[in-house]
């Protein structure tokens, strides 16, 4: 039997529902050679089928399952319990708010002091969990919501080398990329849509997921600029701005041909929401067309580029934090590493 993605009255209960069903599926697939009390295990599985009202109840069952003899279940449960706590602290309201970027943030913040082997276990647990949901959920229209979580670009392993600085484009590369956006050959029906979404991400620094969820009503013209309301992590709203001249032609052309469901600004040719993977692919193609190669050539690199150039031009870390929608200013602080004017002072100390 399949269930809607957001099948309970709130996010906490919904995540607990999916976690409980996933744990049950893992218990029945893991080796049971060491099981000491098969009758008790059957009773515990029945409890998992019924479900729980709190994570505390589930945790007690997991502990007993381990004691009975299925020791490896904690490899899946522990990372997902911590993810449950992490997402609740963010104030998530829907399972659809979860994406690769949010999961990478979780891994970066929660596994920094762990061994590489344990980090790999966290990654595997998360990928397996969302793969299970991909196969077991069903929307009202009969389609399934697909996460497609891969976490290929998560750089948390080999922690001894320290945190990597994000990839970004220098000003000269940005100029080449901007020209390439308008000259790269797309299909006639998708050209203005693709150029519009890439420009909005580059010029505002919003996350790819935030751009994909923009609705028509979120775009408001104010003089010679557009104000865009986006919903960030935890469904927290903020506004960003972009000059009308940058997007006017692409926006007008796209609005004349778009046929999207649920009032989305961007959609595929079936009217459904675009995927983050698709946006990253077209960004990478444009980058390569003008010989720009970075360690990470996806769409999220545009956000790092925006933040880096914003800090270099403004030297205002609060502005960077507010523009990117970071809850903690320490998350924004990494962009100070690219302040060449400040670093040049170190050359004169003697």
């Amino acid at each position: 039997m399949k269930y809607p993605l957001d099948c309970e009255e709130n996010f906490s209960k919904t995540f607990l529902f999916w976690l409980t069903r996933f744990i049950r599926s893992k218990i029945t697939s893991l080796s049971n050679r060491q099981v000491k009390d098969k009758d008790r295990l059957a009773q515990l599985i029945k409890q998992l089928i019924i479900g729980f009202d709190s994570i505390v109840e589930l945790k007690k069952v997991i502990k007993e399952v381990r004691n009975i003899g299925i020791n490896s279940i904690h490899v899946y449960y522990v990372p997902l319990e911590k993810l449950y706590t992490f997402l609740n602290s963010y104030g998530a309201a829907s399972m659809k708010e979860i994406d690769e970027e949010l999961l990478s943030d979780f891994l970066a913040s929660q596994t920094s002091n762990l061994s590489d082997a344990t980090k790999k276990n966290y990654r595997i647990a998360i990928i397996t969990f969302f793969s299970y949901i991909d196969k077991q959920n069903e929307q009202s229209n009969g389609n399934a919501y697909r996460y497609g979580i891969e976490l290929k670009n998560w750089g948390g392993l080999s922690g001894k080398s320290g945190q990597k600085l994000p990839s970004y484009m220098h000003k000269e590369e940005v100029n080449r990329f901007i020209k390439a956006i308008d000259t790269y050959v797309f299909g006639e029906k998708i050209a203005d849509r693709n150029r519009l979404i890439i420009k909005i991400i580059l010029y505002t620094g919003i996350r790819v997921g935030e751009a994909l969820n923009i609705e028509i009503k979120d775009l408001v013209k104010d003089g010679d600029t557009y104000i865009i309301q986006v919903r960030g992590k935890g469904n927290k709203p903020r506004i960003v701005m972009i000059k009308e001249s940058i997007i006017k032609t692409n926006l007008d052309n796209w609005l004349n041909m778009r046929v999207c469901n649920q009032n989305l600004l961007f959609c595929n040719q079936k009217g459904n929401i675009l995927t983050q993977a698709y946006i990253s692919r077209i960004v990478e193609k444009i980058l390569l067309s003008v010989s720009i190669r970075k360690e990470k050539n996806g769409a999220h690199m545009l956000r790092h580029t925006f933040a880096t150039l914003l800090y270099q031009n403004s030297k205002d870390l609060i502005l960077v934090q507010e523009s990117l929608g970071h809850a903690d200013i320490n998350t924004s602080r990494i962009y100070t590493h690219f302040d060449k004017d400040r670093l040049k002072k170190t050359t004169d100390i003697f």
Side-chain angles (χ1 to χ4, degrees):
M1 184 174 179
K2 296 186 176 182
Y3 300 87
L5 184 64
D6 288 311
C7 54
E8 296 287 348
E9 60 191 36
N10 58 50
F11 173 83
S12 182
K13 287 189 175 181
T14 296
F15 191 95
L16 181 60
F17 168 86
W18 284 114
L19 177 55
T20 302
R21 294 192 64 82
F22 172 72
I23 290 297
R24 174 200 167 198
S25 75
K26 295 310 298 180
I27 289 174
T28 56
S29 63
L30 293 171
S31 174
N32 62 356
R33 290 182 181 180
Q34 305 297 322
V35 171
K36 303 169 186 175
D37 187 342
K38 295 181 179 179
D39 291 336
R40 181 54 183 159
L41 178 61
Q43 293 173 3
L44 294 173
I45 291 174
K46 185 175 180 180
Q47 289 184 38
L48 289 165
I49 293 173
I50 296 172
F52 304 98
D53 291 325
S54 75
I55 194 77
V56 175
E57 296 172 0
L58 174 58
K59 190 172 184 177
K60 290 179 180 178
V61 170
I62 296 300
K63 184 177 181 180
E64 192 168 350
V65 168
R66 289 191 67 194
N67 291 337
I68 285 175
I70 302 183
N71 297 319
S72 55
I73 191 63
H74 78 286
V75 174
Y76 294 94
Y77 175 74
V78 171
L80 296 173
E81 182 193 17
K82 290 189 176 182
L83 179 61
Y84 170 87
T85 303
F86 176 84
L87 293 173
N88 277 325
S89 70
Y90 257 99
S94 167
M95 293 291 289
K96 293 181 180 179
E97 292 180 32
I98 304 172
D99 57 24
E100 289 243 358
E101 183 184 350
L102 183 56
L103 294 175
S104 293
D105 287 347
F106 162 74
L107 289 170
S109 62
Q110 301 297 312
T111 67
S112 58
N113 296 322
L114 302 179
S115 68
D116 278 3
T118 304
K119 289 179 180 181
K120 289 177 181 178
N121 288 339
Y122 270 62
R123 178 178 177 272
I124 291 170
I126 289 173
I127 292 173
T128 308
F129 175 55
F130 286 100
S131 176
Y132 172 84
I133 298 178
D134 282 351
K135 297 173 184 175
Q136 297 299 321
N137 84 88
E138 187 175 272
Q139 305 297 86
S140 58
N141 59 6
N143 297 327
Y145 184 90
R146 299 295 182 192
Y147 286 102
I149 300 298
E150 296 180 347
L151 294 171
K152 288 183 178 179
N153 295 324
W154 177 53
L157 298 178
S158 299
K160 292 180 181 179
S161 62
Q163 182 182 19
K164 291 184 176 180
L165 296 178
S167 299
Y168 73 101
M169 288 184 284
H170 300 281
K171 289 183 180 180
E172 184 273 331
E173 293 173 322
V174 172
N175 291 333
R176 283 159 51 200
F177 179 73
I178 290 172
K179 291 179 181 178
I181 295 174
D182 288 323
T183 57
Y184 189 85
V185 178
F186 294 108
E188 184 178 352
K189 293 182 179 180
I190 61 173
D192 286 293
R193 179 201 68 190
N194 288 357
R195 289 168 182 152
L196 178 61
I197 192 169
I198 294 171
K199 288 178 181 179
I200 288 178
I201 294 170
L202 176 64
Y203 281 91
T204 65
I206 63 176
R207 300 176 179 93
V208 181
E210 292 170 345
L212 296 178
N213 285 287
I214 294 173
E215 298 182 2
I216 290 292
K217 64 180 177 60
D218 297 328
L219 196 69
V220 179
K221 191 173 181 297
D222 182 16
D224 63 349
T225 63
Y226 275 99
I227 297 174
I228 307 174
Q229 178 168 303
V230 297
R231 286 165 291 280
K233 294 178 180 178
N235 207 32
K236 296 174 182 176
R238 73 179 190 282
I239 62 168
V240 296
M241 302 178 72
I242 187 170
K243 290 182 178 179
E244 179 190 17
S245 58
I246 294 169
I247 61 171
K248 178 174 172 52
T249 300
N250 300 129
L251 178 62
D252 291 345
N253 291 342
W254 170 239
L255 290 179
N256 286 332
M257 67 176 68
R258 66 173 282 282
V259 181
C260 297
N261 301 327
Q262 302 174 347
N263 295 316
L264 289 171
L265 176 59
F266 301 108
C267 61
N268 60 26
Q269 295 186 56
K270 294 182 179 180
N272 299 321
I273 191 169
L274 294 165
T275 66
Q276 295 190 39
Y278 173 78
I279 303 302
S280 284
R281 283 198 301 272
I282 61 177
V283 168
E284 183 171 24
K285 289 178 180 179
I286 296 174
L287 288 165
L288 293 176
S289 73
V290 287
S291 302
I292 298 175
R293 290 177 174 82
K294 300 294 177 180
E295 184 177 355
K296 295 180 181 180
N297 258 12
H300 196 61
M301 190 266 289
L302 304 185
R303 177 172 163 87
H304 290 315
T305 298
F306 169 85
T308 302
L309 295 181
L310 177 60
Y311 183 76
Q312 288 179 350
N313 290 331
S314 68
K315 303 296 190 293
D316 187 340
L317 198 57
I318 298 296
L319 177 60
V320 174
Q321 179 194 11
E322 293 176 347
S323 298
L324 297 187
H326 287 159
D328 187 346
I329 195 170
N330 288 319
T331 307
S332 313
R333 202 173 298 281
I334 191 171
Y335 299 107
T336 64
H337 290 289
F338 306 113
D339 188 350
K340 292 181 180 179
D341 293 335
R342 183 168 60 92
L343 292 174
K344 279 181 181 179
K345 295 179 181 178
T346 65
T347 64
D348 296 327
I349 60 172
F350 293 108

